[in-house]
Each structure stands twice: as C-alpha cells, then as structure tokens.
C-alpha cells in the first residue's frame, strides 16, 4: 500500500528555536476519526499533522516514536462539560484535548479563551463554551450561585443571544426542564421562548443546543429547530419514531449516559477509580466525586431508556456525541470520557463508532474543522494508547502519550505530584493527635483573642483565593455563651459570582494551615452560635476528601444555641486527616453576621 496522503509542500522542516519539535509516530494502528489504518506513520510538524502514510521519509533530525502495537487516535472531544478550576488540565491528562463546555462563569471562560487564542495552555484541553445559559427566572442553572441572565418572553430572545455572543459564547445553550422528571418542580422557559432563542441563534450563525430531561420536551425542541440535545431523556423508553424524528430534523445528540447513571443513583465513575490504568492520575477530589451520585429520584428514571434510545439513533444514523457532563456527581473531567465510551458500546455502538463519537462526529457537529480527525493540515491533537480500542473500547484507558498542538502532555510529573499528595495523606493517617487537643476545647475566646488551644488560631477565609469577591471580618466581642465574657463575631458580604461562594473563619488543627492532624479520638464538633437568623455552614476539609470540603448547616438565631455534629456527618470522615474546620456564610449572596463560642471536639 502506498502513501495515504502526502502534502505537496516541500518536505524540508527547519527547526527554529522555540518551535515545537517535529516528530514521526511510526507503525501505529491509526484510527483517523472515521476508519482504521492497520499500520501507518503520522508526521507532526509545526503543531499540525504534516503527513500520514506508510514508511514516511522524514529528515534525519525528526524524532521517531515507535508505536508498534499501539493505536493512535485524534485527541478526544468531550461534548458536554462544565469547566472551571483545573478541569481542562485534568481533561488533557486523560486524552481529552477539547472540551465543549455547556455553562460556566464568564470569569473562567473569558481569560481561558484569551490564553488559548494566544497559543498558551498547551497542557490543558481547548475550551469551547456556551458561556451562560438560557433559562427562566429560578429555573435550572440558577441554583449554582453563578449569576445567570434569565428571560421570560420570546421578545427578549434576540437581545439575550446577542449579549452572549458579545461575551464570547461559541454556541447557545438552552434549558427546558421543569424538574417533573425528578418528581419536583421548577420554572422553565415556554416553548415559544425556546423557539425564539433557537431562531435568534441561527440568525447569528450559532448553534442552539438544548438541555432536556423528558422525551416530550426532546420532541418539542427538535420540532422547534434545535441543532442538538445536550442530554438524552431517561424518563421513558423511546417511542418507535423518536430516532426518525431526530434524523428528519438533522439534530445531533449528546446522550451523557454517565451522568444519567448518576441521576439514577448509580455512581457511574466508581469503576474508574479502581482501574490501574487511570487511578494513579486521579486526585482525591476526583475519586470522591466519581464515587458519588445524585439522590435517587422518586420517579421511574432509568439510564437504560437512554441506552435504548442510543441504539435506535444508531439505526437511523443520527449523530451521537460522547459527552460526560463532568463534574456532576459520578463524573470527573477527562477520565469520564472513558466511561462514556464504555456505555456507548454497551448501548450498541461498535468501538469504532464510539471513538468517532468522541472525535470526528463532535468536530463535524460543532463545525470544528481543524480537529477530530488525523489528516494533513489538522491540529496535532493526538492520543496514543496501548492495544486496540477499535476492538476493545476499554483500551482507550491505557494511555501512552497525549499531545496538544504537537506538545506532549507531561503526564509523568502530574502523576508524581498526585502520588506525593497521597503519600502525605497516608502519613497523616498514622500521625498522632495534636498536643493540646486531648481536652477537646478549640476556643472559648475568654482571653479576648481569636487564638485556639491547639493548632492555628482562627483566621479569615474568603473565596477571594478562588477568584471570588466575598468579604468578611472577624473580631472578638463581649458577651459569650454560657455566661462567658467573649465570643468570636464573623460578618461580611457574600458575593454570588462563584457557585460555592464563602466568607468566614478557619481553624487548622496542625501548627501550619492545612497540615493534616489525626483527630479520630474525637467523635463530634460542638459549638454555640447566635446571629442574624440566617443559615450558616461548618466546612470540614480532610486530606482524603481533597479540595472539596464536606459541609453541614446550622442556623444562628437571636439566642445562643448549642449545635453538635458528628464527624461522620462530614462525608463519613473518621477524623484521621482533618486539615481545617471553617464556619462560613454563603453561598447565597448578601450580608451576614453571626457569632460562635465554646468550639470543641467531643
Ligand atoms: Zn451540563
């Protein structure tokens, strides 16, 4: 067999200082996004694929990577995520080089897209984003604390869409979900408004992608002209004509089977956490989230209905796109695409069709002409895996290398950092209790200072470290609980620009903030509180729980009241690796003011 394709341009590549290295991957099985080439070479230069073929002739200074027995794939595309924080870095570690975000904050989207346009961030997945989402006041999407510009009538649709495009949205995401699928109720957009939004998006050349949870809504939005569904429904088995309706309207569908399992009450990602090909790259946060699920719905939702629908869609040649809805419960960025591929195959797609669902199919659906396939001139976003995922889909997990724009992701350093953190957590497990903690009292504030009997004293903590704008202050005030002389007053203002906004005070049991200490001899946290009548949160950080704290709430009324919370109520911790305990206001925006006293571990 001769060359599959070769550029007609001169084949001399002159390396310049600072250029990305040119390399050739030899003898790989290549899934090019559409079909399998049994053994081929892929030559990468200047961040793009320069040539693909058999026994390519390349200059002698081009690095050769022998990939005999391995399979080269286009960089994977996750067609439904919510990106913030380290999401895009994590995604790339697991072979996802493009995320199609379906709602995030502008404070994340705008700087990320700017850096991307400047050719930075090669160690993280590319971001395309809906930005904000279209929903009714109080509708789905407004519960996370990120400000969402809502709308109520078709007349507002064009201005709403134009404002998103001005903010940088790549496509328009619309919510149609009154929560009856989950046995609940919340406001949602009227179908007239949905249709007006879709028309407004099309008028500006943008795709309109719609979140639904019920089959009837799926049918209605398809009839209203939606370009794609951001989820499949799991409320009913598909009607016999569902796929033909979808095909007739040329829609694409992102089933998001992994999150639908989570909605079913199944921890979709649990099996990923024990897979030796993936687990060493998972942080404690990732692992705890992958093992979570949503509370089981009282209604008859079943992810199996969605799998049946995927099979029907396949028969009607409706484009099916792999998407995970990370980081919802049971999912995590990057790693969950491997579970989604597994579930797509379980639904009836061949492994090759599933791979296309994470490469060429989303690239075509979202008009991303520069990626999703391995062909000359395309971006050198590539994943090399051991074995043959075109036969065994689980082989996508056995990643050898990931490249974005020809730059190899440093997975080894990432893995080493995770190993180090895990080793520290294990060491903390074996540590003894901090001295001074045996009596259990943390602070009664009777000396007029915010000091503690052990660990660090109380210090202010706000979401400004995460880019938020909440403010707070603390001071020791007169008049404590139980006739004491003093208490600690915490007040401030919560700004709602982050979904997890907070401001308050933090105590660390070790001598340094966030040093883990073993408090497993204690069984509960108790404290007195009073305040403005609002609900407040106790957050407990543990090393094994990662960066997401476990939380419990209490109400601070006008009189001192004692609250005792078992440690086990904080994500089942036994207290062996507690790094911090916080008393905070938020995430609801507004002013807050409360006092605490006699904070103890019992
Ligand atoms: Zn979503």
């Amino acid at each position: 067999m001769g060359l599959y394709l070769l550029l007609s341009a001169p084949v001399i590549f002159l390396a310049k200082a600072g250029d990305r290295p040119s390399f050739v991957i030899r003898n790989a099985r290549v899934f090019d996004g559409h079909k399998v080439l049994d053994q081929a070479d892929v030559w990468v230069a200047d961040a793009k694929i320069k040539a693909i073929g058999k026994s390519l002739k390349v200059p002698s200074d081009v690095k050769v990577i022998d990939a005999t027995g391995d399979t080269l794939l286009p960089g994977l595309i996750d067609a439904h995520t919510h990106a913030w924080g380290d999401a895009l870095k994590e995604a790339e570690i697991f072979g996802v080089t493009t995320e199609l975000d379906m709602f995030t904050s502008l404070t994340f989207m705008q700087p990320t897209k700017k850096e991307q346009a400047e050719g930075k961030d090669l160690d993280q997945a590319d971001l395309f984003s809906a930005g904000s989402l279209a929903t009714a006041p109080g509708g789905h999407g407004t519960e996370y604390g990120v400000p969402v510009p809502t709308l109520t009538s078709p007349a507002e649709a064009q201005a709403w869409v134009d404002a998103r495009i001005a903010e940088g949205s790549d496509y328009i995401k619309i919510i149609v979900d009154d929560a009856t699928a989950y046995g609940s109720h919340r406001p949602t957009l009227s179908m007239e408004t949905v249709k007006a939004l879709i028309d407004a998006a099309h008028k500006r050349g943008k795709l309109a992608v719609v979140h639904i949870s019920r089959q009837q809504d799926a049918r209605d939005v398809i009839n209203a002209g939606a370009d794609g569904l951001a989820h499949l429904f799991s409320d009913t088995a598909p009607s016999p004509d569902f796929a033909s309706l979808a095909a007739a309207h040329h829609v694409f569908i992102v089933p998001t089977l992994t999150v639908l399992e989570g909605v079913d009450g199944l921890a979709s990602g649990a099996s990923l956490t024990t897979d030796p090909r993936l687990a060493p790259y998972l942080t404690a946060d990732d692992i705890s989230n992958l093992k979570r699920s949503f509370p089981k719905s009282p209604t008859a939702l079943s992810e199996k209905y969605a799998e049946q629908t995927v099979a029907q869609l396949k028969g009607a040649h409706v484009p099916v796109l792999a998407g995970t809805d990370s980081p919802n419960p049971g999912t995590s960025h990057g790693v969950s695409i491997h579970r989604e591929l597994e579930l797509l195959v379980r639904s009836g797609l061949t492994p090759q069709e599933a791979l296309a669902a994470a490469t060429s199919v989303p690239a075509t659906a979202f008009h991303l002409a520069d990626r999703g396939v391995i062909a000359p001139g395309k971006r050198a976003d590539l994943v090399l895996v051991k074995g043959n995922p075109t036969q065994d889909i689980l082989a996508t997990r056995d990643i050898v290398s990931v490249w974005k724009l020809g730059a190899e992701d440093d997975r080894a350093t990432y893995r080493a950092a995770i190993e180090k953190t895990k080793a520290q957590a294990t060491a903390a497990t074996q540590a003894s209790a901090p001295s001074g903690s045996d009596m259990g009292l943390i602070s009664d504030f009777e000396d007029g200072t915010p000091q503690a009997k052990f660990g660090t004293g109380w210090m202010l903590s706000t979401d400004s470290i995460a880019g938020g704008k909440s403010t707070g202050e603390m001071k020791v005030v007169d008049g404590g609980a139980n006739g004491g002389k003093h208490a600690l007053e915490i007040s401030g203002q919560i700004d709602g620009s982050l979904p997890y906004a907070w401001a308050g005070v933090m105590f660390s049991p070790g001598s340094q903030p966030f040093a883990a200490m073993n408090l497993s001899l204690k069984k509960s946290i108790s404290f007195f509180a009073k305040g403005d009548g609002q609900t407040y949160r106790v957050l407990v950080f543990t090393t094994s729980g990662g960066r997401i704290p476990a939380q419990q709430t209490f109400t601070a009324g006008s009189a001192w009241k004692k609250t005792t919370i078992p440690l086990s109520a904080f994500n089942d911790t036994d207290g062996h690796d507690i790094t911090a305990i916080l008393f905070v206001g938020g995430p609801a925006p507004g002013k807050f003011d409360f006092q605490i006293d006699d904070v103890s571990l019992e």
Side-chain angles (χ1 to χ4, degrees), residues 80-82 102-103 140 173 211 230-231 256 259 325-326 328:
H80 188 148
T81 74
H82 301 280
M102 291 295 159
F103 169 41
H140 178 48
K173 165 93 179 284
H211 160 117
H231 294 288
T256 62
V259 83
D325 209 0
S326 297
N328 272 290

Side-chain angles (χ1 to χ4, degrees), residues 284-286 288-289 292 327 540-542 544-551 571:
D285 280 352
D286 299 337
S288 63
N289 207 44
R292 289 168 60 210
V540 171
F541 283 89
T542 57
S544 52
R547 279 173 314 171
I548 304 173
Q551 64 176 40
N571 268 3

Side-chain angles (χ1 to χ4, degrees), residues 58 70 72 117 221 253 269 271 275 306 335 363 416 448 490 502 543:
V58 301
D70 299 342
L72 190 67
V221 303
I253 293 181
S271 62
D275 189 318
V335 69
I490 304 124
W502 83 90
T543 309

